[in-house]
Amino acid sequence: MHASSVGLEIAATGRIVELYRFDGPAEWTAAPLFRLCCDSLLGSFKIWNAATIGGNICMSLPAGPMISLTTALEATYTLWPRDAAPRDIKAIDFVTGNHANALRPGELLRSIKIPAAALAKRFAFRRASLTHLGRSSVLVIGTQDRAKHDLLLTITASTPRPVQLRFGQVPSADDLRRAIDAQISADDYFDDVNGLPAYRRHTTHYFAQQIRAELAQPGT
Ligand SMILES: Cc1cc2nc3c(=O)[nH]c(=O)nc-3n(C[C@H](O)[C@H](O)[C@H](O)COP(=O)(O)OP(=O)(O)OC[C@H]3O[C@@H](n4cnc5c(N)ncnc54)[C@H](O)[C@@H]3O)c2cc1C
C-alpha cells in the first residue's frame, strides 16, 4: 500500500486486513469507507485476514465490498495481460456481471489506484443485509466534492454489477428517483437468497434518498 500526494496505490495481493488497519492522512476524509467496506465482507476477520483485495475484486460477486469501495472512490485498476503491455481500466467498467469481469484469459489484476481527490471527498454509506453479519443485499455509497456540492452515487450488491450515477449538483428527490429507474429497470435487480429484486429495488431507493438528504446538508 503506497500513499502519496497523488493518492493511494494498493497491490492486488494486499490483504483486506491491511486496508482495515490503514491510517491515511487527515485530509483523506473518505478513508473511513475502508473499514466500513471491510466490515461488509461476510465472515468478518476470519476471512479478511487471508482474503486479498484483488481476490475479492476478481471474484466479482455483487456483494464484493472491495468492488463497492474502489468503484465509489473512482479507482483505476492496472491489469497485466499475459503477452502484452499493462492496461488500465476504470473500476466501474471492470465487473461486467455476477461473477464476470473484464479480465482476459491469463490476465492479472496488478494494482488499484485511488485518486487523492476522491479520498478527500465527503461520503455517506448505507448497507443492508437480511441477516446479522450476512452478505450484503444492498450497498450504496454517495461521495461529494465539497467545492462542487455534486453527488456521485454508487449502487452495488443490489445489482449484478456496480451502477454509478453522477450529478453535477445534489438532485431533487424526484430527479434522483427518476435517474435510478432510468438506469436500473425492475428486472435488473439481482435475485438470490440474499434478497428478492423487489426488496433490493425498494431498499436501493430508500438508501439513495437518505444519502441525497445527508449530502444536501452543508458539511465539514
Ligand atoms: C464465510 C465466507 C464468507 C464470504 N463472504 C463474502 C462476501 O460477503 N462478499 C464476497 O464478495 N465474497 C465473499 N466470500 C468469498 C471470498 O472469500 C471473498 O470474495 C474473498 O475476498 C476472495 O478473496 P481471495 O483472496 O480469497 O480470492 P481467491 O479465492 O484467491 O480468488 C478469487 C478468484 O479471483 C482470482 N484472482 C485472485 N486474485 C487475482 C488477481 N490479482 N488477478 C486476477 N485474478 C485473481 C482467482 O484465481 C479466483 O478465480 C466469502 C467466503 C467465505 C468462505
Side-chain angles (χ1 to χ4, degrees):
M1 211 138 345
H2 176 66
S4 72
S5 58
V6 181
L8 183 65
E9 182 168 9
I10 305 166
T13 48
R15 289 174 304 140
I16 290 176
V17 68
E18 293 171 52
L19 199 60
Y20 187 85
R21 292 184 185 141
F22 179 76
D23 204 9
E27 61 269 24
W28 287 3
T29 45
L33 276 173
F34 295 0
R35 283 194 170 199
L36 287 166
C37 289
C38 292
D39 281 331
S40 302
L41 185 73
L42 169 68
S44 184
F45 67 92
K46 291 176 206 155
I47 301 300
W48 31 271
N49 262 312
T52 62
I53 296 156
N56 186 254
I57 292 170
C58 294
M59 186 77 102
S60 299
L61 299 175
M66 298 299 108
I67 300 164
S68 314
L69 175 73
T70 54
T71 303
L73 292 179
E74 301 159 78
T76 300
Y77 299 160
T78 298
L79 309 182
W80 272 4
R82 191 181 280 174
D83 298 315
R87 64 180 181 116
D88 283 352
I89 183 169
K90 288 185 177 163
I92 184 66
D93 296 325
F94 182 77
V95 176
T96 53
N98 176 28
H99 217 27
N101 59 47
L103 282 176
R104 296 174 187 150
E107 199 168 38
L108 284 177
L109 169 61
R110 170 70 180 90
S111 63
I112 299 118
K113 295 190 191 83
I114 303 178
L119 286 160
K121 288 185 175 186
R122 291 176 75 196
F123 74 89
F125 172 97
R126 296 289 186 285
R127 172 181 179 263
S129 168
L130 291 185
T131 57
H132 184 60
L133 291 181
R135 197 167 279 202
S136 305
S137 47
V138 181
L139 199 162
V140 187
I141 297 173
T143 60
Q144 182 179 67
D145 183 318
R146 285 175 185 74
K148 296 181 184 154
H149 207 65
D150 57 355
L151 175 65
L152 181 65
L153 193 75
T154 305
I155 297 167
T156 50
S158 57
T159 49
R161 57 167 296 182
V163 173
Q164 207 159 46
L165 292 96
R166 202 177 278 272
F167 302 90
Q169 57 185 37
V170 178
S172 67
D174 279 350
D175 284 349
L176 177 58
R177 184 175 43 75
R178 275 192 290 269
I180 294 172
D181 282 343
Q183 194 97 353
I184 317 171
S185 76
D187 293 339
D188 288 337
Y189 286 89
F190 192 51
D191 187 5
D192 76 350
V193 292
N194 300 297
L196 292 172
Y199 163 78
R200 287 181 143 125
R201 177 167 186 254
H202 173 84
T203 311
T204 297
H205 276 277
Y206 181 69
F207 285 166
Q209 293 296 347
Q210 285 191 340
I211 288 171
R212 186 198 71 81
E214 189 175 324
L215 294 180
Q217 300 297 322
T220 52

